[in-house]
Amino acid sequence: MPFLSALEGISSTLLSNTFIQLPYPEGDLSGQTIIVSGSNQGLGFEASRHILRLGVEKLIMAVRDPKKGEAARQELLQSTGREESTVEVWLLDMDSYVSVKSFASRAADLPRLDALLANAGLFTNTFIISEEDEKTITVNVVSTFLLIALLVPKLRESASKFNITPRITIPNSALHYIASLGQLDPQNEGGIFKSLNDKEASNMAGRYPLSKLLVVFGVRAFAKQFAQSKAPLVIINTPNPSYCKSQLERESGNISVRVRQKLLARSTEEGSRALVHAIMADEKSNGQYLTNCRVHSPSCIVTDEKGAMIQEAFFKELVTKLERIAPGVTACF
């Protein structure tokens, strides 16, 4: 089954990037406020350009480096012809729980919030403990879901006040099909997060795919909680923009990466179309993995009996961790 899952992920990427062109984003975002993290470059930058083109009233560029964010802001304003007041640059370092909490506190004062594109992510081959966990897990998983949980009250408030259905989107990858389950066994001593923090047992070459698998589990679990709540619905989904030319693999910097990108990768503009589609998608996308702007089955690792057990155990640990980081945050569940 793992082999078949990996084969499906590889074939899906080759088919998508060779034969399928994603639809150019259409729609009307006038009146809306949208946050895009990691928006000063790559997919986040191109998604922000589309969002501005579609008439968003306020774009919040959440970035780790405000100077780079401001340069990106000026480029976006120039290319779209939008007014200066349309785009704001806010500091958000996903490698810092304090920064995530500070950002969410600031966002709580926004007049409204329609959508979050949680695009900021990390791809590294170096094992480093950051905050409580290995850095890839901290940035791609824990801080991402911490930010989401902290923003849910504002999203629900906006839903009630403006009669909208807010959306949360976390980019994913077909690489989740090839993720190894060894460190995700709920029976591992100390649980999943402790296992992931074992440097000697960690395969960092497979850590990014593993983080994206955990995002799929998290999105499915969050969606289930949201659907069961009596509060206004918040849609959460996780689209795969497929393999794109971006700065994500900049740490590798070898010739094989450059050749692979040249031959197989989509442009960041085309890949960003999948992200924009997801933050405009309807309730059918709730809890779903998306490919080529359509709901698509995730890896069988996710959907089989073992996957269900891992998801339950992971979500339980994640909720406990989030509550410890920000007491009261999981009340949104």
Side-chain angles (χ1 to χ4, degrees), residues 79-91:
S79 68
T80 60
R82 298 297 304 274
E83 296 180 357
E84 289 269 343
S85 60
T86 308
V87 186
E88 296 182 13
V89 176
W90 291 13
L91 174 64

Side-chain angles (χ1 to χ4, degrees), residues 9 39 48 57-58 62 111 146 180-181 190 208 225 233 271 284 301:
S39 45
S48 295
E57 182 170 318
K58 180 72 70 176
L146 174 63
S180 171
L181 299 184
Y208 180 79
Q225 295 296 317
L233 177 66
K284 294 178 182 178
I301 293 170

Side-chain angles (χ1 to χ4, degrees), residues 63 90-107 130-132 138-139 142-144 146-147 150 321-322 324-327:
V63 299
W90 291 13
L91 174 64
L92 174 61
D93 184 354
M94 298 294 285
D95 197 22
S96 164
Y97 296 154
V98 170
S99 180
V100 172
K101 290 189 282 187
S102 177
F103 179 91
S105 178
R106 185 178 180 184
S130 174
E131 294 288 4
E132 301 177 348
T138 295
V139 173
V142 180
S143 285
T144 295
L146 174 63
L147 177 63
L150 288 167
K321 182 182 287 286
L322 295 180
R324 185 171 64 252
I325 296 168

Side-chain angles (χ1 to χ4, degrees), residues 35 71 149 294:
I35 294 171
R294 298 174 184 271

Side-chain angles (χ1 to χ4, degrees), residues 10-23 241-243 263-266 270 273 291-292 294:
I10 294 169
S11 62
S12 172
T13 299
L14 290 174
L15 176 65
S16 296
N17 288 22
T18 305
F19 298 107
I20 297 176
Q21 184 172 15
L22 299 182
S242 199
Y243 186 43
L263 294 176
L264 297 175
R266 283 173 169 160
E270 185 172 3
R273 300 178 190 184
T291 290
N292 296 324
R294 298 174 184 271

Side-chain angles (χ1 to χ4, degrees), residues 7-8 15 66 89 91 93 128-129 134 143 148 154 180 192 208-209 219 230 242 246 262 283 309-310 323-324 331:
L7 186 62
E8 182 180 356
L15 176 65
V89 176
L91 174 64
D93 184 354
I128 300 173
I129 293 293
E134 185 276 316
S143 285
I148 287 167
K154 185 65 189 183
S180 171
I192 291 172
Y208 180 79
V219 165
K230 294 181 180 180
S242 199
S246 73
K262 184 176 181 62
E283 293 182 24
M309 291 175 57
I310 294 173
E323 188 64 28
R324 185 171 64 252

